[in-house]
Amino acid sequence: MITSVSRLAARRGARRVSSSATYALSRSPLARPTSVSSNLIAGRPSLWYSTERVLELRSGLSADKQPKVLYDPKNEKENCGVGLIASLKSVPSRHVVDVADEMLVRMSHRGGCGCDPASGDGAGMLFGMPDSFMRHQAKELFGVELPESGKFAVANVFFPPGSDKDDKLIDCKGILERLVKERSLTTIGWRPVPVDNSMLGRDPLDSEPITEQIFVVNSKGIPQKAFEQELLRVRKMAEDEVAGMLGPESGFYINSLAGSHITYKGQLTPEQVSQYYLDLKDPLFISHLALVHSRFSTNTFPSWERAQPIRMMCHNGEINTLTGNKNWMYSRGGIMESPIYGDDTNHLLPATSDNMSDSGNFDSVLELLTKASNRSLPEAVMMMIPEAWQDNYNLSDTKKAFYEYNSCVMEPWDGPAMVAFTDGRYIGATLDRNGLRPSRYYVTKDDHVVLSSEIGVCPDLPDSEVKVKHRLEPGKMFLVDFETERVVPDDEIKEQVSSMHPYGEWVEKGMIDLEKWTAQKGITRQPMDFSQTNRKLNMFGFSSEKLDMLLMPMAVGGKEPLGSMGNDAALAVLSEHPRQVNDYFKQLFAQVTNPPIDPIREEIVMSLVCPVGPEGNLLQDPSPDHCRRLVVRHPVLTLDEMETLKNDQYASGDGSGFKTAIIDVTFPAGSGPDGMIQALERICDECADAIQDNIGEKGVEGVILSDRFAGPDRIPLPSLLAVGAVHQHLLKTKQRPKAAIFAEVGDAKEVHDFATIFGFGCDGVCPYMAYEALCKMNAEGMMEARTKREFTDDEAMANYRKAAAKGLLKVMSKMGISTLQSYKAAQIFEAVGLADEVVDRCFTGTTTRIQGTDFEAIYRDLERFHDTAYPPHELEETNLVRSDGQFHYRDGGEAHLNTPAGMVNLQIAARTNAKEAYKEFARITNEQNKKVTLRGQLKFKFNPSNAVPLDEVEPVAEIVKRFATGAMSLGSISQEAHETLAKAMNHLGGRSNTGEGGEDPLRFLDNRRSSIKQVASGRFGVTSHYLANSDQIQIKMAQGAKPGEGGELPGFKVSEYIAANRHTTPGVGLISPPPHHDIYSIEDLAQLIHDLKNAQPNGEVSVKLVSEVGVGVVAAGVAKALSDHITISGHDGGTGAAAWTGVKGAGLPWELGLAETQQTLVLNGLRDRIKLQADGQLKTGRDVAIAALLGAEEFGFATAPLIAMGCIMMRKCHLNTCPVGIATQDEELRRKFSGQPEHVVNYFFFLAEEVREIMAKLGYRTMEEMIGQTQHLEANKRGLHYKSRGLDLSPLLTPASELNPSAGIMNRTTQDHGLALKKDNSFIEKAKAALESKQPIVIEDETNNLDRTLGTMLSYEVSSRFGGEGLPDDTIHLKLHGHGGQSMGFTLAKGITLTVEGDANDYTGKGLSGGKIAVFPSEDVVAQGFKAEEHVVVGNVCLYGATGGKAFFRGKAGERFCVRNSGALAVVEGVGDHGCEYMTGGTMVCLGPTGRNFAAGMSGGIAYVYDPDGEFPKRCNMGLVGLETMDTPEEQQEVYEYIQEHVAMTGSAVGQEMLDNWDTRVGQFTKVFPHDYKRVLLERAEAAKKAAAA
């Protein structure tokens, strides 16, 4: 509700302040604190509220009365729209201010708002100091004539709400004034900033700060840069002092304190910024530059301070490595000293804080680098966001040397990012190395530049006034230098920066390469003695399963082995068997707010190479000292490398070198938990002592944590505990940058072990027991027996390291991290079931929400491992390695949820409708739950007095309507199994899910139709017709079996039928990318939701997420992005094949994710907007009842229905050898399928009846009544053991209704998708004749960037009426002028032609379904000299997932053009990086240059690339394709006609020139032909030839 100013004034002193008001200088005599906190958390104002503050705001409960919750505001994410405008000539104007405002408003759809449309997520604008305006204000208010520009500063300062009612406002001002005076500067006065808050919603009003401006003059006449440096000192010291006085959440915040610029921002919508700040409407307020930012946050909690722009920059993206970056920066405080500030450097530290967002921390470090060192702004940005320089042939040696040198100085801030920045001298922007954020720019004829996340944000700018249309490319920088009055090309500025010092020479002389050092030593290895190997393997936690299923395949095949059917084994904290500490950690992964990376197809942006050892002073001028470090090229060290590090000291000619100290990480057997803890303390002290310089003796450059002394009398510390403890100790003592940490350990064996040990700070690990085990297996002939070939030990170990490297890259890529240097110590994990005492000591800052195993329990597991190796009362030699049944069920082994007895009873129940068999199945399964899952640790709180008669409870027929089967694609399972599930669910009134393999259109017409149509990253079979025939469209963001990973369907599973449904080629393998290439951020997801809602206006859009820490805040963002439905999947489900590392090591139980999501959505007031579904190894009515009480309204099932149909859990789904015909495409095996729809129906009826019985006991008559009623659950303390007894499940069980009593706790309303306002409505009305009688029609109109998803609702009408066949070509012609919005022509149906005279944004032609699209400049613009082929006319990810139709673009396209195209023809005049990635069909003709990594993962279709200079082969990924020429007249004629049509559609000059000179040009085309596709075409031709001959 919009509240008037007068009503607000009575309530909270709201104001409309006139510009004539002024405050006198404060006279508060506050004393400055004696010391400034150096703690990483304290000492900086908080930019978000703590959990306690949020709960207080929503529930009204004080901190001491608040329950435990899973929600944590520090998991909040944000994505945004960013833009800048500047005058190259530095001419201030009102035009710049007005355009900035318009730009911001026109990116409103990239921002977000919560349940109140008047409460924005945050927006703001940074301007070059409005000199004339500020002079006028100073004269009017203070009677002061300001000095020349640059010699005064004005800052907008936020003061705590209501601080004008007590002394806080005066006290804060007094602190600032005193600090200004101490620096010999002058405060001339304070000016209340006039605002109009009449349009604000409740949340921003409740937290609205008092905003005033401080005017500071450079009265001592120091140079401008020195003035800016003093202002930084004042601001930092003031922040610390006020935070110490009022606390970090006080609301005091200095938006900017600089002479060059000023920031206006707040908890506002984009439209509200200029309405709220009245200064921005003043005609005198003029500027030559502006940065604008519209924020989309995953929360709705008020935070004026967190809005952007910040002090120097604004950021659209996410820093995935933030924890590591912050820790490293904090620890560097021990060796940092500024050449400018000297001993006062500590006034600026810590530069990072847990109280700031990733953007805030980035901005703070950027400011430190540019003001506390002598680095320029471009140089600092290059250091923090380096482009992909390893193996990049495009880079000069000078630039490569710069990046390699600076990799020794600091680690990259890694993640998808578009950062816009300014310091007054420069304004610019840079893009992350993988180009994961959109950025387009214009240069105008009147010397202005406009850059933004979209084009069309300046609607009054005619194309005739634009001389350059371009995009920001991956890793590149856009830079305006106001001194030279021009846009400085990326190559020029980077060459200039890179040439300032002899970086190449310094790197060559200073860096020590471990591989080369080891080779020079020529170490001779001693023969291995295997007599004690099995004992040691048992002591270090090996098992026969891991040796056979993990290590052996890695050694013989060089890659990780695959598993399938999910992970149903016990969580480590619940396991009654000893488990490694690594098993308690679950890898985090990217979903929604940033994308994972493909570590195979996009390997060019990834690297494992790391410099390690002593760092130099970050703020010191560049010198050779910074790169005197050790280069580790592969973090899994060889035995020889470890021997080199242990037994040699590297010495260089300049006196520097590298030596190590060996630290024993074993402790006496029998010494108990205290002995283990004492050992941890000892190794921390020994490492610190070894690193520390002593009198006359230099400290070591590396420490080696070695457990080689482990044996009968000594127990090895878990390597992860040892590394974590030492790393955290050295961080806290600020010694970590002084030395490397290496581990020579026996328990590191698999990829997850390596990922955790590096993730918590190790620089290199030598897994000597894994090597010994491999050599023993080789010596015993096991490798030869498996592969029928011989291996040398070195070959086996090299393959193992290769597999480990690939696995590490995959784990990093799941979180969107490109370099191991950034991943290292980034702590990208959650601990599940680990006590605070362990985490606080060894893994500080890592999330652990349910407590659990403590040091005593860890010791007991170590003792059990040790006793297995060295039994206390051994009667005979132990020669067997234990087998614990972690991967496959075995009697006496690890507990599994799916047991043989349980499966037998379920199948009997399903096939014979036997109620007693179902009850036995449920009893067995519920008992197994107690040993395996978190829900097994819960019990119902039955109160007999509340029970209701069973016959009053909702009938089974209603309950089953809430059930859905999982997203198992046609391809992963057989046609018979897929259709059986659909028939069963349609009979029940529930829903089946197509999975990501499309669906046969014939099934749309009968009971085989799946209600849920899935849209996954591969976009297989996603057409307008497919989407139109859905009740719900599910966006698969992640998969429970392998979150953060893509998928692959091998060619032998792609039958004729499968290929037809997926619009691909039979026999050709298919790849699903890890990311959706149109979802790199939350606002991208909002766009796809909008697209799909347009494609089926009458259905729901659902988003499938996988449980991990922070999934609740992601779900809040998804709800704000207007999803109708959210699925929370657990880590344990899924039929998909994946490497065991992903199956076992990623994702969390759905119980945690569901409870967090329910709590977070209710806290945000968003829960009533959406439906919530739980999914993941749900099997019994008890499971469903618990999920409902935790907040779910609907329930997904996959494994159990498969078992009901006959699955016997062989876990061979990926091999096409399923013996019961379910997970196979083999025709012989499919004949063995015996499942019937009735089997699934019987199972679900039994399950629903069990639910009814529980409801009756709880006192609920309908399921709706029990949703979210967690008060009926409690922890079951019976049966807990030494590890699980420490569990605290109370955070799951807090009723969400207590957190925000005014909010709904279940779905009550629907989302407003704004479809009534769509331009397509008028198109549909105007095209009535075409839709009703197929009469051709032309519709002319204007379009702009706000017209998103244009043509899609019209396509829905076509598909609904005419099916996949659509209309005859060109029946409806949409003839448009202007700037096409995002997703223009999404799933454009056959018969619709859409032409745009102008340009278009990202995702143009996405999912093209037979229609035609053309984008081209106007004839008038071309006549004025505009050469379209040199400019960018369409954005990124155009034609993603296209299945048919044609597209013609006169000009260049951005990155990832034609990704996953499976049937469309596209002609374009140049593309960016990753063109034709994962393409499976169709044709692409490129008449200009391409970017890097063309054709990565391309398995079908053909591309023709014009390459007159012969440069294309360097840019092409040759993994799956070959390069040929067009050698038949028929093919040459075909391509000629494609270009001819392109010219006819767009008037292309380039195309016409090629046609005119075809005889010459045809030989300059390169044909990109996938190997598999070529093979299949040749096989088909041969078969046709034989058939004809017969």
Side-chain angles (χ1 to χ4, degrees), residues 33 89 323 345 396 402 438 687 712 878 986 1055 1143 1199-1200 1372 1477:
K89 305 294 185 184
T323 298
T345 303
S396 68
F402 170 85
C687 287
T878 300
N986 286 330
S1055 64
V1143 173
T1199 305
I1372 303 173
E1477 197 173 26

Side-chain angles (χ1 to χ4, degrees), residues 386-583:
E387 55 190 311
W389 55 271
Q390 297 98 336
D391 304 317
N392 187 344
Y393 69 89
N394 287 323
L395 288 186
S396 68
D397 291 341
T398 307
K399 280 197 279 187
K400 282 184 180 178
F402 170 85
Y403 287 123
E404 186 168 12
Y405 171 88
N406 278 288
S407 72
C408 296
V409 178
M410 75 182 301
E411 73 291 341
W413 290 59
D414 202 356
M418 196 283 265
V419 174
F421 50 81
T422 186
D423 64 354
R425 158 76 190 273
Y426 300 104
I427 191 170
T430 195
L431 203 57
D432 66 90
R433 61 172 53 206
N434 215 17
L436 298 176
R437 287 293 185 265
S439 186
R440 303 272 290 277
Y441 67 86
Y442 288 175
V443 181
T444 68
K445 294 177 181 177
D446 66 351
D447 293 320
H448 283 77
V449 295
V450 177
L451 177 146
S452 67
S453 300
E454 297 183 17
I455 55 158
V457 293
C458 305
D460 295 331
L461 176 64
D463 274 1
S464 58
E465 292 300 313
V466 178
K467 62 181 179 182
V468 174
K469 289 186 176 184
H470 203 36
R471 74 187 192 284
L472 195 50
E473 300 175 40
K476 302 300 184 184
M477 184 182 295
F478 169 84
L479 191 73
V480 172
D481 184 343
F482 290 115
E483 288 192 3
T484 60
E485 300 182 344
R486 66 192 182 100
V487 177
V488 185
D490 175 83
D491 277 345
E492 181 182 332
I493 186 61
K494 289 182 177 175
E495 282 293 339
Q496 178 186 330
V497 170
S498 301
S499 302
M500 291 173 67
H501 299 283
Y503 292 115
E505 180 184 328
W506 291 349
V507 166
E508 182 68 27
K509 290 181 179 179
M511 296 183 76
I512 307 164
D513 190 310
L514 180 57
E515 281 186 10
K516 294 178 181 177
W517 180 13
T518 302
Q520 290 167 4
K521 292 300 297 179
I523 290 173
T524 302
R525 233 181 291 139
Q526 297 298 315
M528 289 186 182
D529 176 8
F530 300 129
S531 62
Q532 296 295 306
T533 298
N534 284 3
R535 287 184 181 274
K536 292 188 288 184
L537 290 174
N538 282 326
M539 178 173 63
F540 286 117
F542 284 75
S543 68
S544 57
E545 264 191 327
K546 287 190 175 180
L547 291 173
D548 181 62
M549 296 180 63
L550 296 185
L551 270 70
M552 175 82 82
M554 292 169 76
V556 300
K559 59 183 179 181
E560 286 188 272
L562 300 179
S564 55
M565 290 303 293
N567 174 29
D568 66 343
L571 293 168
V573 69
L574 299 179
S575 174
E576 296 179 7
H577 293 258
R579 298 283 286 271
Q580 287 184 235
V581 174
N582 312 68
D583 292 348

Side-chain angles (χ1 to χ4, degrees), residues 362 537 1428 1560:
F362 185 98
L537 290 174
T1560 303

Side-chain angles (χ1 to χ4, degrees), residues 110-143:
R110 289 186 171 272
C113 63
C115 44
D116 176 5
S119 298
D121 280 1
M125 295 187 273
L126 178 154
F127 295 100
M129 187 61 70
D131 190 80
S132 57
F133 175 80
M134 293 304 176
R135 288 182 185 284
H136 174 75
Q137 296 299 324
K139 188 73 172 175
E140 286 285 311
L141 300 177
F142 315 122

Side-chain angles (χ1 to χ4, degrees), residues 896-1172:
H896 287 257
L897 196 54
N898 296 294
T899 64
M903 289 189 287
V904 167
N905 277 284
L906 173 55
Q907 290 176 352
I908 292 172
R911 288 167 184 261
T912 67
N913 203 19
K915 186 175 183 179
E916 291 305 313
Y918 174 80
K919 285 188 173 182
E920 181 61 11
F921 156 74
R923 186 195 66 78
I924 293 170
T925 303
N926 291 334
E927 281 300 310
Q928 288 303 109
N929 262 311
K930 295 177 182 178
K931 304 174 185 178
V932 174
T933 68
L934 291 184
R935 61 187 175 275
Q937 315 315 304
L938 300 174
K939 65 179 182 179
F940 299 111
K941 293 164 69 174
F942 292 124
N943 184 344
S945 64
N946 292 333
V948 298
L950 186 60
D951 59 5
E952 293 182 13
V953 176
E954 188 173 14
V956 162
E958 289 302 311
I959 292 173
V960 295
K961 291 177 183 179
R962 296 177 180 269
F963 295 170
T965 51
M968 297 167 281
S969 70
L970 178 59
S972 68
I973 63 175
S974 65
Q975 180 182 350
E976 293 80 5
H978 204 270
E979 293 182 358
T980 297
L981 288 173
K983 290 176 183 177
M985 299 316 291
N986 286 330
H987 176 80
L988 291 170
R991 291 175 173 178
S992 65
N993 192 317
T994 61
E996 63 175 300
E999 187 172 73
D1000 185 346
L1002 293 176
R1003 289 173 57 177
F1004 298 167
L1005 307 174
D1006 57 33
N1007 68 343
R1008 297 174 298 159
R1009 173 183 179 270
S1010 289
S1011 298
I1012 305 171
K1013 301 290 193 289
Q1014 191 175 74
V1015 173
S1017 62
R1019 302 294 160 92
F1020 297 113
V1022 177
T1023 66
S1024 176
H1025 189 213
Y1026 169 83
L1027 297 175
N1029 281 277
S1030 65
D1031 299 325
Q1032 182 186 95
I1033 304 172
Q1034 183 184 77
I1035 303 170
K1036 181 173 110 177
M1037 288 307 310
Q1039 186 172 339
K1042 48 180 178 180
E1045 298 185 36
E1048 196 163 345
L1049 192 68
F1052 57 74
K1053 274 196 165 188
V1054 186
S1055 64
E1056 291 277 352
Y1057 184 71
I1058 300 299
N1061 288 307
R1062 294 187 178 222
H1063 294 257
T1064 61
T1065 306
V1068 175
L1070 303 174
I1071 298 166
S1072 294
H1076 286 255
H1077 279 297
D1078 54 352
I1079 306 178
Y1080 294 156
S1081 63
I1082 188 74
E1083 74 264 24
D1084 291 345
L1085 175 64
Q1087 179 61 49
L1088 180 56
I1089 290 170
H1090 188 68
D1091 296 340
L1092 297 175
K1093 195 68 179 181
N1094 278 260
Q1096 170 45 295
N1098 303 312
E1100 293 178 339
V1101 178
S1102 173
V1103 175
K1104 180 180 180 181
L1105 305 174
V1106 172
S1107 178
E1108 66 172 332
V1109 60
V1111 71
V1113 295
V1114 171
V1118 171
K1120 289 167 65 175
L1122 301 184
S1123 183
D1124 304 300
H1125 182 281
I1126 295 173
T1127 295
I1128 302 294
S1129 290
H1131 69 113
D1132 45 5
T1135 54
W1140 279 113
T1141 297
V1143 173
K1144 292 281 190 180
L1148 295 179
W1150 60 256
E1151 298 94 319
L1152 276 170
L1154 176 61
E1156 182 193 339
T1157 299
Q1158 176 76 357
Q1159 291 174 12
T1160 306
L1161 290 174
V1162 172
L1163 266 170
N1164 280 273
L1166 297 169
R1167 179 62 180 88
D1168 60 352
R1169 291 187 182 190
I1170 57 99
K1171 295 176 184 173
L1172 199 54

